[in-house]
Amino acid sequence: MEEGPECGKPDFVLLDQVTMEDFMTNLKLRFEKGRIYTYIGEVLVSVNPYQELPLYGPEVITQYQGRELYERPPHLYAVANAAYKAMKRRSRDTCIVISGESGAGKTEASKHIMQYIAAVTNVSQRAEVERVKDVLLNSTCVLEAFGNARTNRNHNSSRFGKYMDINFDFKGDPIGGHIHSYLLEKSRVLKQHVGERNFHSFYQMLRGSEEELLQKLHLQRNPALYNFTRQGAGLNVSRGAVVYRLGIHDSLDGDERSHQAVKQAMKVIGFCPEEVASVYRILAAILHLGNIEFVETKEEGPAERLVVVEEVLVDHVAELTATPRDLVLRSLLTRTVASGGRDLIEKGHSLVEACYARDACAKAVYQRLFEWIVDRINSVMEPRGRDPQRDGKDTVIGVLDIYGFEVFPVNSFEQFCINYCNEKLQQLFIQLILKQEQEEYQREGIAWQNIDYFNNAAIVELVERPHWGILAMLDEACSSAGLVTDQIFLQTLDTHHRHHPHYTSRQLCPTDKSMEFGRDFRIKHYAGSVTYSVEGFIDKNRDFLFQDFKRLLYNSTDPTLRAMWPDGQQDITEVTKRPLTAGTLFKNSMVALVENLASKEPYYVRCIKPNEDKVAGKLNEDHCCHQVAYLGLLENVRVRRAGFASRQPYPRFLLRYKMTCEYTWPNHLLGSDRAAVSALLEQHGLQEDVAFGHSKLFIRSPHTLVVLEQSRARLVPIIVLLLQKAWRGTLARRYCRRLRAVYTIMRWFRQHKVRTHLAKLQQHFQAARQPPLYGRDQTWPLAPAVLQPFQDTCQELFYRWRARQLVKNIPPSDMAQIKAKVAAMGLLQGLRQDWGCQRAWIQDYLSSVTDNPTASGLFAQRLQTLREKDGFGAVLFSSHVRKVNRFHKSRDRALLLTDQYLYKLEPGRQYRVMRTIPLQAVTGVSVTSGRDQLVVLHARGQDDLVVCLHRTQPKLDNRVGELVGVLAAHCQGQGRVLEVRVSDCIPLSQRGARRLVSVEPKPEQQVPDFRCSHAGFTLLWPSH
């Protein structure tokens, strides 16, 4: 969103020279750069880009919210923000006037303004305020459907004027609103120019409604079947012209998508389903009414009788309007008039009169429908429960989105009124601009210089002057007795205004062949000359509808339709005043509108249409020059620059430029901001080009601002670096202080947690010294995460201390057994189901009379002989075993394990030594995970020894753990590691061959034994 010099001047006031050429050069440069907004002081000039630009959305709204007008590049959001701040800060009623010709983007501008106001309000999310915002946003969607149409100049042209007041409470939140509509172009219902369409609502209903609804309305989907929509049947509305972002599926046709959006918007606003259904019935009735045709038939005698060609259409109209069929037919063919004696006379229509009555009824019904929709929206938006004494005075922001200046090939009464409206608004614009300038100069004590500008007061007077103006003469023609035609009215205008500089006709200028005799007159508007055709002026101004139709529709049983016709309750014999004409009503509404706008603080958006082709990226300079001229934009620039091109309050000026002067940077010490500004300008030598007001500085030429901006642009990068350095240092110091504080808090907190936890531990383990448990039954309290390593260390120390206490009470004779059990536990714990730790370990079972009652003496003799022969010191383990050899033979043997040798003995031969293995050669032991007593002893350089411990007392006693433990403890004492493997399938080596040994539980097996196979051995273990 930032702009550089390459994007041109963001404010036309800053142009070096105020000429049309310079103005257009800057406008075109900014348009080509995608900058469609430019200021003229506080007036915003907007060029329609005819494409979506990334200039809107929540992120952009945030950039403009709360900012001053010139702080950000020109934008609609800046104008909306300025109006909102003026309303909220100063409690001033404000208004935003959006003007420009048809197709210049006025309606889209009003949408963006509404979206901005909705986005920045109701930060507290009050439900009532959200409801009002939803109604405000969705009302535009509904009004566009029923009040907009496709024209040759704009695919979504507003065919009515709209002024919306938004009420705000003291908090600045919207609490209600009111919509005023002006001059709906209801003649469009009957006829459209080539290339144009009827109102969007008809095509949306036909193309977007479900088949079931169309059948109920007696309609078909093709618009070409109906006289009122046949002209635009082949045309489509531009994509998204009426559609808001309501989640409508993108694949739908434009009118179908818009129809769904309108239905959703009406639901959000608060239209009930019965009202919506009634609206579509009325639209369908208008289409059927347009297809009714009349024909004259001869009866007996010379008289001719008028009949309806297709009476089924009358049935449809009667059904859809909930009125009696015979009364509908009578109202179409006749009218009732009251004679002087108050007698009622029924007079039949001629063919021309019947067609006029039908068309007048269609126009009136659509106009009443549109007005009812506006009133219904207003009823929903009205502020609820407001008490001025309690809640304070409401403030208002008005948004005016009204039709632009129009010039068609044939211009009728509607274009005359529209262009008169634009003349009034242009007059107000010039007056307010000059008035504001003059008031500001007087308030600040600055001399005022009068500026010459085009004053269109003469044109406004030509139209609205009492008795002599065109509208007054048109009213007189409508009220005159006898037959007064449009041509007679034109002659009257020629007679009274033949010398007016802004009026001419073919009668007054016979050589101008662009006008026709007896039909055309021309007015030289501020925007250019427009030729008007007087045909239909009188009828359109009278806007006459027979009372029969009013009474018919008032007596409808449809409550929605009945509410649109309150004047139908009058009796036909009742004498009433002549109703005001359409022209007078419109003039009165314009006078009231101008007075309303003049009472508010105005903000202007001047919209420009870049080309007639509605093509993106194309700017036709001739076309834009014409708009710049008739919008008075050059005069606006001159007025703004006449005395002073720019004006700023002293604090704001200092805030922007104080870095360019040593006396004001970073803060001045002078007596006032005015004195500081004076010192700054003197340092730059610019004091002769300014004037000092009471609270503002007034700068004459844009050159002064350019010099200040260039000086500021050179210094800003230096200041930014300085600020960045200071701020980064501040952040680093702040971070360091916070870090130190964090570490201090963490240290003290940890100390506190440690002390608290230690106190808990001390209290918890006070009785831990008491035997015999020594704290085994105590549970450790849960430690904080930061103290978990400390807790683990404490637990390790405690376990060692407790172990030491227990060990101190163990007799020295039991220490060897304890060490063996500890060694076994380290090797087998969790790997083997049972390893015999719960019983006392005898170790030398062959010397035990209990375990070996018959041969313990023989074994003792053999043991003494071996001790004398080999000189070993202690017996580590002895037991009977069942062994299997490489020849697949199993025998009962005895196993003797000493501190130096491993012996295999033969019990049957007085424990004769069959094999001796040095203990240093034993490298490992393999056991299974079950309760069996299989042991495989692995020896280095020798066959592995496969045995099963048996013949134990008690029977099948578990001694594998004891063997493993004593052998492992002995190896640990010698400083070597014994490899112990636990596996249910043990590999072994015999005579260089690899074999496997496993265990098979067999319930019927009485004693353990081996079964041999080619692959290895299987221990058959009694599983009982």
Side-chain angles (χ1 to χ4, degrees):
M1 290 295 293
E2 295 297 333
E3 293 185 359
E6 69 278 1
C7 296
K9 300 289 176 44
D11 193 329
F12 286 113
V13 174
L14 302 179
L15 291 175
D16 295 329
Q17 296 181 348
V18 185
T19 63
M20 180 63 77
E21 182 179 356
D22 291 335
F23 190 98
M24 288 305 305
T25 299
N26 190 60
L27 184 72
K28 185 174 182 180
L29 174 61
R30 291 183 62 78
F31 181 77
E32 291 172 349
K33 297 292 184 180
R35 313 295 174 171
I36 62 174
Y37 299 119
T38 313
Y39 288 130
I40 302 178
E42 294 183 349
V43 177
L44 183 70
V45 179
S46 170
V47 183
N48 190 347
Y50 286 118
Q51 61 178 330
E52 292 289 338
L53 295 177
L55 301 178
Y56 314 99
E59 294 182 0
V60 183
I61 289 175
T62 303
Q63 297 175 14
Y64 284 88
Q65 185 175 358
R67 299 294 189 96
E68 296 297 332
L69 195 66
Y70 293 100
E71 285 189 57
R72 305 292 299 166
H75 202 288
L76 273 170
Y77 291 161
V79 175
N81 180 67
Y84 179 72
K85 285 201 307 180
M87 177 276 301
K88 187 175 181 180
R89 291 180 179 176
R90 304 195 296 270
S91 296
R92 287 285 305 273
D93 290 346
T94 61
C95 65
I96 302 174
V97 181
I98 308 171
S99 57
E101 71 172 53
S102 179
K106 301 184 298 299
T107 300
E108 289 300 315
S110 68
K111 290 181 187 176
H112 291 306
I113 290 172
M114 297 293 295
Q115 290 167 357
Y116 178 86
I117 293 175
V120 301
T121 55
N122 195 29
V123 293
S124 58
Q125 295 295 309
R126 289 188 291 167
E128 175 62 16
V129 177
E130 284 298 309
R131 183 192 68 82
V132 173
K133 286 166 56 175
D134 288 340
V135 173
L136 289 173
L137 292 175
N138 285 277
S139 63
T140 304
C141 178
V142 177
L143 294 179
E144 280 188 29
F146 289 89
N148 287 28
R150 171 171 175 158
T151 66
N152 289 319
R153 309 189 69 186
N154 184 2
H155 286 178
N156 188 35
S157 177
S158 297
R159 308 317 301 158
F160 71 105
K162 181 181 70 174
Y163 174 75
M164 177 183 290
D165 270 332
I166 309 173
N167 297 73
F168 295 84
D169 61 9
F170 72 97
K171 296 180 181 178
D173 290 332
I175 55 171
H178 190 86
I179 297 173
H180 301 267
S181 63
Y182 302 98
L183 191 65
L184 177 72
E185 188 191 20
K186 58 184 178 181
S187 62
R188 180 169 292 272
V189 174
L190 308 181
K191 186 179 179 181
Q192 308 89 39
H193 294 293
V194 176
E196 298 189 355
R197 300 202 320 172
N198 209 323
F199 292 101
H200 294 322
S201 55
F202 291 109
Y203 303 95
Q204 292 172 9
M205 177 183 66
L206 292 174
R207 289 174 171 154
S209 297
E210 298 81 1
E211 289 293 339
E212 181 181 357
L213 177 59
L214 291 179
Q215 292 178 5
K216 290 181 179 179
L217 301 178
H218 307 290
L219 295 175
Q220 299 183 47
R221 200 169 293 280
N222 185 7
L225 300 176
Y226 306 98
N227 292 331
F228 289 166
T229 56
R230 182 174 296 121
Q231 167 60 44
L235 304 174
N236 200 347
V237 70
S238 62
R239 180 179 177 87
V242 191
V243 181
Y244 273 107
R245 301 181 183 274
L246 295 174
I248 307 303
H249 199 278
D250 287 343
S251 64
L252 301 178
D253 172 77
D255 287 313
E256 184 178 354
R257 187 173 61 252
S258 299
H259 175 71
Q260 296 187 24
V262 171
K263 286 177 64 178
Q264 177 66 19
M266 295 178 78
K267 181 179 179 181
V268 172
I269 291 172
F271 287 84
C272 66
E274 293 77 12
E275 291 174 332
V276 175
S278 181
V279 167
Y280 289 119
R281 285 198 299 269
I282 294 172
L283 290 177
I286 293 174
L287 292 180
H288 290 305
L289 194 62
N291 278 9
I292 293 179
E293 296 180 357
F294 306 97
V295 64
E296 293 178 339
T297 60
K298 287 191 176 183
E299 296 183 345
E300 296 179 0
E304 291 185 347
R305 178 172 172 264
L306 195 66
V307 296
V308 174
V309 176
E310 295 183 58
E311 291 199 359
V312 67
L313 296 175
V314 178
D315 298 337
H316 296 338
V317 173
E319 178 187 342
L320 295 171
T321 57
T323 54
R325 189 249 187 207
D326 56 334
L327 292 182
V328 173
L329 185 60
R330 184 186 303 172
S331 300
L332 289 170
L333 299 179
T334 64
R335 69 179 183 274
T336 304
V337 296
S339 65
R342 302 295 177 90
D343 294 330
L344 299 182
I345 302 175
E346 188 175 283
K347 180 181 179 182
H349 287 319
S350 66
L351 180 60
V352 174
E353 290 173 338
C355 294
Y356 173 84
R358 174 200 62 201
D359 294 344
C361 179
K363 291 190 300 181
V365 169
Y366 193 83
Q367 180 185 21
R368 297 289 180 101
L369 173 63
F370 183 79
E371 292 172 350
W372 177 84
I373 290 175
V374 174
D375 292 340
R376 183 70 178 84
I377 295 174
N378 286 335
S379 68
V380 177
M381 286 198 301
E382 285 297 327
R384 300 177 179 178
R386 300 290 295 172
D387 184 357
Q389 294 183 348
R390 180 192 64 196
D391 302 318
K393 176 183 176 295
D394 295 343
T395 48
V396 172
I397 291 181
V399 180
L400 178 65
D401 172 18
I402 205 160
Y403 16 57
F405 192 82
E406 291 189 347
V407 183
F408 291 150
V410 178
N411 301 286
S412 187
F413 178 75
E414 292 82 7
Q415 283 69 47
F416 176 77
C417 292
I418 288 172
N419 293 339
Y420 159 65
C421 166
N422 281 270
E423 291 284 359
K424 291 287 288 184
L425 294 177
Q426 176 68 9
Q427 185 182 37
L428 175 69
F429 172 73
I430 294 296
Q431 288 176 350
L432 287 181
I433 290 295
L434 294 174
K435 180 181 177 182
Q436 286 178 345
E437 292 283 323
Q438 186 173 5
E439 286 180 350
E440 184 172 26
Y441 288 162
Q442 290 175 351
R443 186 169 57 250
E444 295 290 332
I446 305 296
W448 167 252
Q449 178 182 358
N450 289 324
I451 304 301
D452 293 331
Y453 63 94
F454 175 72
N455 191 342
N456 65 339
I459 304 174
V460 175
E461 187 176 281
L462 171 65
V463 177
E464 68 177 16
R465 181 183 176 186
H467 307 300
W468 293 95
I470 294 177
L471 287 177
M473 292 183 179
L474 184 59
D475 286 350
E476 183 178 351
C478 292
S479 60
S480 298
L483 180 62
V484 179
T485 63
D486 295 322
Q487 288 71 26
I488 296 176
F489 164 65
L490 179 59
Q491 293 173 8
T492 305
L493 293 181
D494 292 341
T495 301
H496 286 82
H497 301 297
R498 60 188 312 114
H499 300 298
H500 198 287
H502 296 280
Y503 176 87
T504 187
S505 68
R506 184 67 184 272
Q507 181 70 27
L508 302 179
C509 186
T511 59
D512 189 350
K513 296 184 179 180
S514 62
M515 295 183 288
E516 291 189 13
F517 277 109
R519 191 193 75 175
D520 297 340
F521 69 93
R522 181 176 296 155
I523 295 179
K524 186 179 180 182
H525 289 282
Y526 78 95
S529 298
V530 181
T531 301
Y532 298 100
S533 170
V534 295
E535 292 180 354
F537 259 57
I538 292 179
D539 284 341
K540 292 178 180 179
N541 188 51
R542 280 185 181 143
D543 197 20
F544 181 72
L545 180 66
F546 294 130
Q547 188 71 20
D548 301 72
F549 288 109
K550 297 179 181 179
R551 289 196 303 274
L552 172 70
L553 298 173
Y554 173 76
N555 291 314
S556 169
T557 57
D558 184 342
T560 301
L561 182 59
R562 178 186 176 92
M564 300 176 190
W565 298 91
D567 48 348
Q569 62 183 325
Q570 294 177 352
D571 188 86
I572 193 170
T573 60
E574 183 178 345
V575 178
T576 59
K577 293 175 62 177
R578 184 186 301 273
L580 295 177
T581 61
T584 300
L585 289 173
F586 184 70
K587 182 187 74 171
N588 294 342
S589 65
M590 286 298 101
V591 172
L593 174 63
V594 169
E595 290 177 353
N596 187 10
L597 296 177
S599 67
K600 294 178 170 61
E601 182 176 332
Y603 293 83
Y604 289 93
V605 179
R606 311 291 263 176
C607 298
I608 293 178
K609 184 178 181 179
N611 59 77
E612 285 287 357
D613 304 322
K614 300 180 279 292
V615 176
K618 176 183 176 182
L619 190 140
N620 186 305
E621 291 195 32
D622 293 337
H623 186 66
C624 293
C625 282
H626 177 66
Q627 296 174 77
V628 170
Y630 77 66
L631 287 173
L633 299 185
L634 281 179
E635 287 83 355
N636 190 5
V637 176
R638 293 191 181 101
V639 167
R640 191 71 177 176
R641 288 168 53 112
F644 301 93
S646 176
R647 71 287 320 270
Q648 296 185 35
Y650 294 126
R652 189 191 304 172
F653 182 86
L654 278 176
L655 187 64
R656 185 162 184 84
Y657 301 113
K658 64 181 180 179
M659 72 286 295
T660 65
C661 175
E662 58 183 328
Y663 302 111
T664 56
W665 178 256
N667 292 302
H668 70 84
L669 299 176
L670 302 175
S672 64
D673 287 346
R674 175 173 175 171
V677 171
S678 178
L680 187 152
L681 292 170
E682 287 179 5
Q683 180 168 325
H684 288 280
L686 301 173
Q687 65 273 17
E688 300 298 329
D689 195 44
V690 301
F692 295 90
H694 299 310
S695 63
K696 290 183 179 181
L697 175 71
F698 292 79
I699 303 173
R700 284 191 175 87
S701 67
H703 176 72
T704 298
L705 282 177
V706 171
V707 172
L708 291 172
E709 285 292 335
Q710 290 175 346
S711 178
R712 180 179 181 274
R714 287 193 301 270
L715 292 172
V716 163
I718 301 174
I719 296 173
V720 168
L721 289 176
L722 177 64
L723 293 176
Q724 286 179 342
K725 181 176 69 175
W727 180 241
R728 285 169 180 164
T730 300
L731 291 178
R733 287 188 291 274
R734 182 184 300 173
Y735 177 76
C736 184
R737 288 194 298 269
R738 288 181 177 177
L739 207 59
R740 287 175 179 171
V742 167
Y743 284 139
T744 301
I745 293 171
M746 289 170 60
R747 184 174 67 252
W748 283 93
F749 181 72
R750 283 173 177 168
Q751 291 176 0
H752 165 74
K753 296 295 285 185
V754 168
R755 286 193 295 269
T756 303
H757 191 63
L758 286 177
K760 279 185 180 180
L761 289 177
Q762 184 179 7
Q763 183 179 4
H764 218 65
F765 288 91
Q766 280 183 349
R769 293 181 180 273
Q770 301 300 322
L773 298 178
Y774 294 104
R776 189 183 69 179
D777 57 342
Q778 298 293 335
T779 57
W780 285 78
L782 184 64
V786 69
L787 293 179
Q788 192 59 49
F790 171 77
Q791 177 100 326
D792 296 340
T793 304
C794 287
Q795 286 181 345
E796 184 177 352
L797 292 173
F798 172 74
Y799 293 146
R800 289 190 177 187
W801 170 83
R802 182 171 174 273
R804 183 175 182 81
Q805 298 303 315
L806 294 173
V807 167
K808 286 196 307 185
N809 297 326
I810 297 175
S813 60
D814 292 341
M815 285 304 298
Q817 183 180 158
I818 294 299
K819 291 182 179 179
K821 287 187 176 182
V822 170
M825 181 178 67
L827 295 171
L828 301 177
Q829 183 73 30
L831 299 177
R832 184 173 170 85
Q833 297 178 5
D834 185 12
W835 47 276
C837 66
Q838 302 296 329
R839 60 177 180 79
W841 288 0
I842 307 299
Q843 298 183 358
D844 188 5
Y845 291 97
L846 294 181
S847 298
S848 172
V849 177
T850 304
D851 209 72
N852 190 14
T854 59
S856 59
L858 293 174
F859 176 75
Q861 294 175 9
R862 178 63 63 182
L863 184 62
Q864 181 63 30
T865 302
L866 291 175
R867 180 179 283 115
E868 292 174 355
K869 175 186 176 183
D870 296 333
F872 59 82
V875 175
L876 301 181
F877 184 82
S878 66
S879 175
H880 288 108
V881 298
R882 184 76 171 173
K883 71 95 182 180
V884 64
N885 59 18
R886 63 182 183 275
F887 302 110
H888 297 179
K889 293 181 179 181
S890 58
R891 296 286 187 272
D892 286 337
R893 293 289 183 264
L895 183 68
L896 173 61
L897 178 65
T898 68
D899 56 1
Q900 292 185 14
Y901 296 98
L902 173 63
Y903 299 97
K904 183 176 71 172
L905 308 176
E906 185 177 3
R909 295 188 178 183
Q910 299 178 351
Y911 293 99
R912 179 174 64 88
V913 177
M914 300 185 66
R915 182 179 179 187
T916 301
I917 303 174
L919 201 57
Q920 292 292 334
V922 177
T923 59
V925 179
S926 294
V927 298
T928 66
S929 61
R931 296 182 59 85
D932 58 86
Q933 299 300 296
L934 176 65
V935 177
V936 178
L937 295 166
H938 305 282
R940 184 171 50 252
Q942 300 188 42
D943 291 345
D944 294 340
L945 181 60
V946 183
V947 298
C948 173
L949 306 180
H950 81 131
R951 292 173 59 184
T952 60
Q953 294 296 330
K955 193 174 182 180
L956 302 180
D957 192 17
N958 195 340
R959 296 175 182 174
V960 169
E962 185 176 353
L963 173 59
V964 172
V966 296
L967 183 57
H970 178 74
C971 291
Q972 289 176 3
Q974 291 184 337
R976 64 189 185 92
V977 178
L978 178 70
E979 182 181 358
V980 177
R981 289 181 294 182
V982 180
S983 174
D984 290 334
C985 188
I986 300 173
L988 56 92
S989 174
Q990 288 186 340
R991 295 288 183 175
R994 301 288 295 177
R995 297 191 177 187
L996 297 176
V997 59
S998 60
V999 178
E1000 178 183 340
K1002 291 183 72 68
E1004 66 277 8
Q1005 188 77 20
Q1006 297 300 317
V1007 293
D1009 200 0
F1010 288 94
R1011 183 179 65 201
C1012 303
S1013 65
H1014 179 73
F1017 312 111
T1018 301
L1019 174 62
L1020 304 177
W1021 180 256
S1023 61
H1024 56 277

